[in-house]
Amino acid sequence: MVEPVPESIHFPSEEKRILQLWKDKDCFQECLKQSKNRPKYTFYDGPPFATGLPHYGHILAGTIKDIVTRFAHQSGFHVDRRFGWDCHGLPVEYEIDKTLDIKGPDDVAKMGIAEYNRQCRMIVMRYANEWENSVTRMGRWIDFKNDYKTLYPWFMETVWWVFRQLYDKGLVYRGVKVMPFSTACNTPLSNFESNQNYKDVQDPSVIVNFPLLEDENVCLIAWTTTPWTLPSNLALCVNSELQYVKVKDNSTGKVYIMMEARLVALFKTEEEYTIMDKFPGKTLKGKKYKPLFDYFRKCGETGDYM
């Protein structure tokens, strides 16, 4: 019997009615039973982190994934769809470190790796119900009962097996990429991981002097907010048109070369220094200086440290 079409439809209510219909008839599992003898369509799904709640990005990506797998099913394939949980990386450890007030590797060593791992496993399914409710509400067909977790040894071994197949086929290459890095964990971070502990902080800034090779009693002055880059420093830059000065610190007798406009950064009053010379920045071109560290000293032979 054809049901009459109402003049207006309340879509949220209609969605819930359809979801209940699918649940009552177990439509997803029925589709899997009916298609079990068809050719398999394998869909590799990147699972979400186990310790986070679903957000807009998950909903959008999950909708697209659902469209792809439904289309494959309707095109004559059998499509296993199992929900997964990403248990690797730092998110799980970060939550445990906060809970147990762990500050570094020494605290983990005192606790023991086995106990630390046990604590991490305990929170893997913390938000499982929220995920299942959200994914089901958006109408995605996927199996939560037969899920998988990346912490299972068989999962990790399978990933290595797949990687080996790619390697044997010559499809693996070595590349270089700039990545956020955790000095505490001694590991690269994903963008998601590096943003977990994002803070607005006061950047450290340092004023550094670089002795000239022609006269080590005279130092070039540089200012930086990234002092951690100094070990790899290979050059100093000046503005060719701006005015620089050779200035003597009256209290220490040390002589510096710096931009005239930045004298206020080094001295509080004019009585604290004596200007010995003034010249444009282009005068400094080609002058060599002594590197702060010896790591790349050989580079001076090829024109660095100028």
Side-chain angles (χ1 to χ4, degrees):
M1 179 178 177
V2 178
E3 295 183 6
V5 178
E7 293 184 2
S8 62
I9 296 177
H10 185 255
F11 285 102
S13 299
E14 191 67 15
E15 288 172 359
K16 290 180 180 179
R17 188 182 70 81
I18 295 298
L19 289 173
Q20 189 60 46
L21 176 67
W22 288 349
K23 183 178 180 180
D24 294 342
K25 296 185 177 295
D26 202 11
C27 292
F28 175 44
Q29 292 300 324
E30 187 60 33
C31 283
L32 294 178
K33 291 177 185 177
Q34 292 179 11
S35 65
K36 64 180 180 180
N37 295 321
R38 296 177 183 176
K40 276 195 173 183
Y41 179 92
T42 303
F43 182 79
Y44 292 104
D45 180 12
F49 285 113
T51 53
L53 289 167
H55 55 67
Y56 168 77
H58 295 121
I59 294 172
L60 175 61
T63 301
I64 296 171
K65 293 172 182 178
D66 192 48
I67 291 171
V68 172
T69 51
R70 282 177 185 264
F71 180 77
H73 172 82
Q74 293 168 0
S75 299
F77 292 92
H78 176 76
V79 191
D80 281 320
R81 282 156 276 181
R82 298 170 59 192
F83 200 82
W85 304 97
D86 186 349
C87 310
H88 283 79
L90 295 180
V92 174
E93 296 176 13
Y94 177 67
E95 292 295 324
I96 292 300
D97 289 351
K98 282 196 306 181
T99 302
L100 302 181
D101 195 30
I102 292 174
K103 303 299 184 184
D106 290 342
D107 293 336
V108 176
K110 290 177 184 177
M111 175 187 295
I113 298 296
E115 175 61 18
Y116 186 78
N117 285 342
R118 190 184 73 84
Q119 292 287 340
C120 289
R121 290 190 185 99
M122 286 173 57
I123 68 168
V124 164
M125 301 304 290
R126 175 186 290 176
Y127 299 118
N129 290 335
E130 287 85 347
W131 272 97
E132 186 167 1
N133 290 337
S134 296
V135 173
T136 301
R137 180 64 183 85
M138 59 186 269
R140 184 180 179 187
W141 280 6
I142 194 163
D143 190 348
F144 275 91
K145 293 183 175 61
N146 189 30
D147 64 357
Y148 70 90
K149 302 175 183 67
T150 63
L151 59 82
Y152 293 149
W154 59 260
F155 177 88
M156 292 182 275
E157 290 165 1
T158 300
V159 172
W160 279 113
W161 179 87
V162 170
F163 184 81
R164 175 60 187 264
Q165 307 310 305
L166 296 172
Y167 179 83
D168 289 343
K169 293 178 180 179
L171 300 175
V172 177
Y173 65 93
R174 184 185 295 274
V176 179
K177 182 180 181 181
V178 176
M179 295 284 292
F181 191 84
S182 169
T183 53
C185 300
N186 197 30
T187 180
L189 302 174
S190 68
N191 288 332
F192 174 81
E193 291 168 340
S194 63
N195 285 330
Q196 278 196 303
N197 197 31
Y198 185 86
K199 298 175 183 176
D200 286 327
V201 297
Q202 193 70 31
D203 269 346
S205 64
V206 295
I207 294 176
V208 189
N209 62 73
F210 297 83
L212 291 176
L213 289 186
E214 63 186 49
D215 183 357
E216 292 193 10
N217 293 317
V218 180
C219 297
L220 295 164
I221 288 289
W223 172 80
T224 177
T225 58
T226 56
W228 53 87
T229 64
L230 290 173
S232 61
N233 168 265
L234 295 176
L236 293 175
C237 298
V238 297
N239 187 301
S240 61
E241 303 302 324
L242 295 181
Q243 194 77 359
Y244 287 76
V245 294
K246 186 176 182 180
V247 60
K248 179 182 178 181
D249 185 329
N250 293 334
S251 63
T252 64
K254 292 183 178 180
V255 178
Y256 304 113
I257 293 176
M258 60 188 299
M259 188 186 299
E260 184 177 21
R262 295 298 296 159
L263 283 168
V264 294
L266 204 59
F267 304 102
K268 293 181 179 179
T269 66
E270 294 183 2
E271 287 72 28
E272 294 181 7
Y273 62 86
T274 301
I275 294 179
M276 304 171 66
D277 195 7
K278 292 186 180 184
F279 42 82
K282 60 186 176 183
T283 307
L284 298 171
K285 183 178 180 180
K287 288 190 177 293
K288 290 180 174 289
Y289 62 89
K290 183 180 178 180
L292 294 176
F293 301 92
D294 293 334
Y295 304 120
F296 303 101
R297 183 175 289 276
K298 287 185 178 180
C299 294
E301 301 170 5
T302 57
D304 291 306
Y305 302 118
M306 296 175 65

